[in-house]
Amino acid sequence: MKLEISSESLAQIQTPVLMAYSFEDAPASSGTVERLPAEVRSTIEELQASREITGKSYECTLLHRPAGLAARKLLVVGAGKRQKFNDAQLRRVAGAAVRHLRGRGIHELAWLLDNEGTRRESVEAVVEAALLADYDADRYRTEREVERRIDLLALATGGHAPSEAVRAGLERGRIIAEAQNFSRDLVNEPSNRMTPTMLAERAQTMAELYGLECQVLGPEQIRELKMGAFWAVAQGSDEPPRLIVVHYEPAEAPAELVVGLVGKGITFDTGGISIKPSENMHEMKTDMAGAATMLGVMQAIAQLKPRVRVIAVVPATENMPSGKAYKPGDVITSMSGKTIEILNTDAEGRLVLADALTYAKQLGCTALIDAATLTGAVTIALGNITTGVFGSSQEWVNRVLNAAADAGEKMWQLPVDDDYREQYKSLIADLANTGGRYGGAITGAMFVGEFAGDTPWVHLDIAGTRWSNEEKPFLAKGPTGAPLRTLVHMLLKLAG
Ligand code: BES
Ligand code: MN
Ligand code: ZN
């Protein structure tokens, strides 16, 4: 999708469709509809009187040959209640408008910006919305709906010279949404087309393209580093594991802070010997969504260039049952030296994360954030709507929660509390890899946190939010790319 700024006067904008929004609890001439010429506004007011336009969220009404405009059509999109309107809602409203127009033979659009004092954040939200809305998960359909793609989005200032805020919003929005779609593409790939080796290749290609340093370690090095927990999971698969490390360390950034981004990279989770039921097992191709998030974040910051050092560490492997697979009751020694009794081979994510966190600390990371499709339990607690947030440092948890609010991603903190440690004690070893049914998201998170030690650490359980089970007006069914925007926003803010 090409993005441009159009500073032509409103009446003169030549576009197949101009998009504007209005509110539900206000006259139809509200929102950006208020900026339109009186001729077309009176039509809109008539439609409102007959209840054809209500302003309810995502309602789309297409007017042909709108009076007083050079645009061939005008799409009026409902923005919901004025009180509830913010950048997150704007992102959804703009996404809904774009998704409504795709597939109607329309390939070029113009979005009417709010006014002369347009904020960078709102432009960013619109650009992100359009790029994220113009995505479908139909990659391997031989007759893909590519003819639906939008080729051009113009941001219409309505006659003002484009401000620095508009330019910056366009650029940031593009970079972040492209990274999010890159992450969605990785999650969408089935496991036969996204083995640990292929994931590492994608990471390397991305790193080369954006000028980042990338190292990929294979089985011998993983064993040499004594990553016994990562290795235990990997040993059952014929696909060799990969440890992917991507560096973004600008010389001008302060040396004291190195943020480690650790992403769970299970390219397929069968459960191993504690095998999963076959129903819905195909969804476990998405068990590398944490990895995809972190690689996407690296792609975004390589372009946005915040003054902060960041290292991404991705342990990538399959979790398979086989004659070589690890088994319940096995005791393994993690890279940290802590011993772990395996009670369930399906609790593999925390094992690969344990060694990846230890390695990130060894590389010099002074703060750790992991993203992982860690537990089914988090989806029982928070559904598919909200990412579970856990952490040892409230300061860092707050950074993430604040960034999530800015980025329009829903997150909720769940507790980390020593009283839960009883649940994952082992009779034979330092730790057991499961903590029972109750509070499963918490004990899973806390097990991971044991390996962060004293280093400030935040854990994002994205088992529920990695994938949308239904088509939304503003987003296709399939991979969501969560929680990439939150992490990018947090890193940008950290850098000041
Ligand atoms: N990858 C799964 C968690 C998951 C479930 C992700 C549903 C996405 C959707 C994870 O490896 C897993 O199997 N967790 C177990 C842990 C249990 C054995 C302690 C679970 O949640 O059942
Ligand atoms: Mn599992
Ligand atoms: Zn898993």
Side-chain angles (χ1 to χ4, degrees), residues 264 269-271 276 284 287 319 344-349 373-374:
K264 173 176 172 181
D269 181 11
T270 65
K276 287 180 182 293
M284 287 302 120
D287 213 16
N319 183 24
N344 190 320
T345 63
D346 198 9
E348 84 297 341
T373 46
L374 200 70

Side-chain angles (χ1 to χ4, degrees), residues 335-395:
M335 186 187 185
S336 71
K338 284 191 174 69
T339 56
I340 303 165
E341 180 186 13
I342 304 305
L343 295 183
N344 190 320
T345 63
D346 198 9
E348 84 297 341
R350 61 200 74 185
L351 300 173
V352 303
L353 292 173
D355 284 346
L357 286 176
T358 305
Y359 189 63
K361 284 200 290 182
Q362 191 176 302
L363 290 178
C365 295
T366 58
L368 298 164
I369 301 177
D370 79 77
T373 46
L374 200 70
T375 67
V378 83
T379 70
I380 304 297
L382 300 173
N384 299 123
I385 310 289
T386 307
T387 293
V389 183
F390 305 79
S392 62
S393 150
Q394 194 58 40
E395 188 191 335

Side-chain angles (χ1 to χ4, degrees), residues 178-260:
E178 281 176 1
Q180 194 167 339
N181 283 343
F182 164 65
S183 171
R184 291 165 94 188
D185 273 340
L186 296 180
V187 174
N188 199 34
E189 291 291 350
S191 72
N192 62 326
R193 296 171 186 270
M194 189 48 69
T195 61
T197 306
M198 295 180 202
L199 183 61
E201 282 167 5
R202 295 281 188 109
Q204 263 166 331
T205 308
M206 180 277 292
E208 255 164 58
L209 209 57
Y210 296 99
L212 298 170
E213 196 191 313
C214 177
Q215 292 137 2
V216 175
L217 312 188
E220 293 75 28
Q221 289 148 304
I222 291 165
R223 263 208 310 260
E224 256 165 49
L225 286 163
K226 297 198 161 40
M227 295 187 162
F230 183 14
W231 184 257
V233 179
Q235 74 188 42
S237 173
D238 287 346
E239 287 293 337
R242 293 285 183 261
L243 184 71
I244 306 164
V245 184
V246 186
H247 295 262
Y248 170 76
E249 297 184 82
E252 66 281 8
E256 317 82 69
L257 178 64
V258 183
V259 181

Side-chain angles (χ1 to χ4, degrees), residues 249-332:
E249 297 184 82
E252 66 281 8
E256 317 82 69
L257 178 64
V258 183
V259 181
L261 301 179
V262 178
K264 173 176 172 181
I266 301 295
T267 59
F268 197 76
D269 181 11
T270 65
I273 297 298
S274 314
I275 198 162
K276 287 180 182 293
S278 55
E279 195 181 308
N280 296 330
M281 200 202 273
H282 64 280
E283 290 182 5
M284 287 302 120
K285 72 170 189 179
T286 66
D287 213 16
M288 35 56 74
T293 299
M294 297 321 193
L295 295 174
V297 170
M298 298 311 280
Q299 170 173 321
I301 63 172
Q303 298 166 82
L304 294 166
K305 305 199 189 315
R307 287 162 166 257
V308 54
R309 291 166 199 255
V310 185
I311 303 176
V313 178
V314 167
T317 178
E318 293 182 329
N319 183 24
M320 297 290 285
S322 80
K324 287 186 282 175
Y326 76 140
K327 301 178 287 299
D330 285 2
V331 173
I332 59 173

